[in-house]
Amino acid sequence: MSKFKSKKDNSLPAVNTASLPDIVFMLLFFFMVVTVMREDNLLIENRLPQADQVEKLDKKYPISYIYAGKPAKGYEKFGTEARLQLNDKLAEISEIQAFINAERAALREELIPKLTVSLKVDKEANMGIVGDIKQELRKASAFRINYTTATGDAKSNLD
Amino acid sequence: MAKRSAPEVNAGSMADIAFLLLIFFLVTTTIPKDSGITRKLPPIEENDQDVVIKEKNIFTVLLNGKDQLLVEDELMEIDDLRQAAVKFLDNGGDGTCTYCRGAKDPKSSDNPDKAIISLKNDRQTSYAAYITVQNELVAAYNELRNRRALEIGSKKGFPDMDFIAMEKAYDDVKFSGNRAKLKEVIEQIKIEIPQKLSEVE
C-alpha cells in the first residue's frame, strides 16, 4: 500500500517565481528608455509659473537651459536676490553670451540656428533679470526662446 | 557510468540584480514634460529707422511694478484682458478683413495684419504676472485662429479641427490625413492672423 502513497506532503506548492526576473526586467527596460538623467543640479529655487496656452518644446532641436531664481536653501550665502544659473553654477548676466557660444560649439552646424533657449525662471523672480537675460540673448543672436512653464491655470499665478 | 549533466546555474539572484537596476532608474527618472510659451526675440538693429504705425493699430499693455495692468491707458483686470485683445484684433476697421467679426470701429485696428500688441513691463514686475499676461495674449490669438480654423478647415477637408488640433495633428507622426494640405491651411491661418506682439524695453 505504501507504494502508492504520495511521497510529498500535501501542503501547498511554493509559488513559482521563475518569471519574476522577466517582469522586473520589463519594468527596468521601460524606465531605462524613458529616463533622462537630470542635467543640472539646481542651486536656486525653481518653481515655474503656470500657463495653459503652451506648446511642447520640440526635442528634435537642441535646447539650452537658463535657470533663474533666488538661491535655494543651503545657498543663502549667495544672497536673496534672483540669480542666474548656467549649467551647474551660478553665473553673472555677462556670462550668457559665452555660454551660448559654448552651447553652439557642441552642435552640428545645421542645428545651430535651431537652438532654442529655454528660460526656466522662478515665478517669484522679477522681470528685471528676465529682461537682462533677453537682452544678452539678443546680443548673442539666440532669438528663439521659450518661457518654460508648468501646465495649469495661468490666473493661479497671481494668488 | 551515466554521464552527469552540468549543474544548473542558480538564477535566484537575478531578480535582486534586476531590482537594483530598476530602483536606480526609478530614482533618476524625470519624465520630460517641458512645455511653454515660445517667443522670438527681435534682432538688434543698427539703424533703427522709425516705422510709422498708426496709434489706433497699437494695443498697449502695460504691467507696472506692482503687477497692475494698464490697457490702452485704463486699469483693467487680468480676466478682461483676453476679451479686450480679441476685440481689438478682430475689429477689422478698414473692411479688408473678410473673416473678422468685430465692430468695425474706425478708432480701433484696421485689420489683424496691421494690429500690433505692445507689451511693456517694469523691472519690478513679477515673472508670474508677466507669464499670465503673455498667456492671455497668446490665448487671444489662439481664440481667433481656432475660429478661423473651424471656418476654413471644413472646406479644405479638416472638419471639426481647431488651430491647436491642427498643429497637434501636423506634429503627430501617426496622423493619417493629407499632411501637405494641412500645412497649407496652418500657414494660411498664420498669415491671416499673425502674432504681432512687440515688447518694449
Side-chain angles (χ1 to χ4, degrees):
Chain A
M1 277 306 265
S2 59
K3 203 173 185 182
F4 301 108
K5 218 175 188 178
S6 169
K7 275 178 213 145
K8 288 174 188 154
D9 50 4
N10 280 334
S11 62
L12 279 171
V15 176
N16 185 3
T17 55
S19 57
L20 188 61
D22 301 6
I23 297 166
V24 174
F25 266 116
M26 211 161 66
L27 283 170
L28 174 64
F29 289 140
F30 170 72
F31 280 102
M32 275 175 73
V33 169
V34 299
T35 290
V36 177
M37 296 277 178
R38 209 200 247 272
E39 277 148 50
D40 296 310
N41 197 7
L42 289 181
L43 308 175
I44 52 163
E45 277 184 23
N46 204 239
R47 278 171 308 137
L48 300 174
Q50 300 188 337
D52 48 19
Q53 308 291 322
V54 293
E55 296 163 49
K56 278 237 168 70
L57 206 51
D58 214 339
K59 292 267 176 191
K60 269 190 297 197
Y61 299 128
I63 304 168
S64 295
Y65 295 95
I66 292 180
Y67 302 88
K70 70 170 195 253
K73 258 203 171 126
Y75 296 97
E76 281 91 351
K77 60 182 174 194
F78 296 112
T80 53
E81 276 294 294
R83 293 287 304 268
L84 192 68
Q85 181 178 346
L86 301 171
N87 294 329
D88 265 340
K89 56 184 192 299
L90 295 175
E92 297 300 323
I93 296 287
S94 54
E95 291 171 46
I96 290 179
Q97 288 191 50
F99 167 75
I100 293 293
N101 288 332
E103 291 281 300
R104 282 190 178 141
L107 295 176
R108 278 183 285 139
E109 198 172 346
E110 71 270 22
L111 288 176
I112 289 176
K114 303 270 187 200
L115 178 72
T116 307
V117 180
S118 162
L119 298 179
K120 293 196 170 182
V121 182
D122 188 84
K123 59 182 172 187
E124 277 171 25
N126 55 35
M127 280 307 291
I129 187 164
V130 182
D132 290 344
I133 293 171
K134 279 177 9 188
Q135 192 58 29
E136 287 298 311
L137 289 175
R138 286 175 67 190
K139 281 187 204 158
S141 308
F143 299 125
R144 293 164 62 99
I145 62 166
N146 181 290
Y147 300 108
T148 304
T149 59
T151 316
D153 182 19
K155 280 160 196 150
S156 64
N157 289 335
L158 301 175
D159 300 339
Chain B
M1 203 169 141
K3 200 177 167 193
R4 207 182 288 169
S5 61
E8 218 171 291
V9 177
N10 184 8
S13 55
M14 181 93 98
D16 301 7
I17 297 166
F19 262 120
L20 207 76
L21 285 168
L22 174 63
I23 289 163
F24 170 72
F25 280 101
L26 261 172
V27 169
T28 55
T29 292
T30 44
I31 305 213
K33 54 168 181 18
D34 276 356
S35 57
I37 299 170
T38 304
R39 279 274 93 91
K40 217 163 173 198
L41 296 174
I44 299 176
E45 274 167 30
E46 307 277 297
N47 50 338
D48 44 337
Q49 294 165 325
D50 278 341
V51 184
V52 182
I53 301 166
K54 278 187 217 155
E55 186 62 38
K56 64 174 188 172
N57 280 326
I58 303 177
F59 185 74
T60 54
V61 180
L62 194 134
L63 200 54
N64 77 3
K66 294 192 183 78
D67 291 351
Q68 288 163 321
L69 191 65
L70 205 64
V71 177
E72 299 278 48
D73 302 324
E74 276 172 53
L75 264 175
M76 188 182 271
E77 290 297 317
I78 188 80
D79 295 318
D80 305 326
L81 178 62
R82 190 184 304 196
Q83 266 322 304
V86 166
K87 197 174 157 216
F88 165 76
L89 293 168
D90 201 28
N91 181 51
D94 65 356
T96 55
C97 166
T98 52
Y99 44 87
C100 292
R101 297 185 198 162
K104 299 210 182 336
D105 179 3
K107 286 196 197 72
S108 187
S109 77
D110 283 335
N111 56 49
D113 186 44
K114 282 189 182 163
I116 292 171
I117 295 180
S118 156
L119 175 57
K120 191 172 180 186
N121 59 267
D122 201 88
R123 285 190 73 87
Q124 296 304 316
T125 306
S126 82
Y127 183 64
Y130 174 78
I131 286 296
T132 308
V133 168
Q134 282 269 8
N135 186 65
E136 290 307 300
L137 296 177
V138 174
Y141 280 110
N142 280 345
E143 193 174 319
L144 289 172
R145 285 178 168 184
N146 282 341
R147 196 186 74 193
R148 185 66 184 143
L150 289 172
E151 273 172 20
I152 61 175
S154 54
K155 286 180 213 152
K156 298 270 172 88
F158 303 104
D160 300 324
M161 277 170 88
D162 61 17
F163 186 72
I164 305 290
M166 281 182 182
E167 284 202 312
K168 215 174 186 174
Y170 183 71
D171 287 332
D172 188 359
V173 278
K174 292 197 288 279
F175 179 59
S176 55
N178 187 337
R179 194 174 277 259
K181 209 168 171 188
L182 184 60
K183 170 108 185 153
E184 212 172 273
V185 176
I186 292 174
E187 289 302 319
Q188 186 193 337
I189 295 167
K190 277 189 180 170
I191 290 168
E192 284 179 343
I193 303 155
Q195 261 192 27
K196 295 200 171 173
L197 219 159
S198 113
E199 286 178 56
V200 191
E201 290 127 48

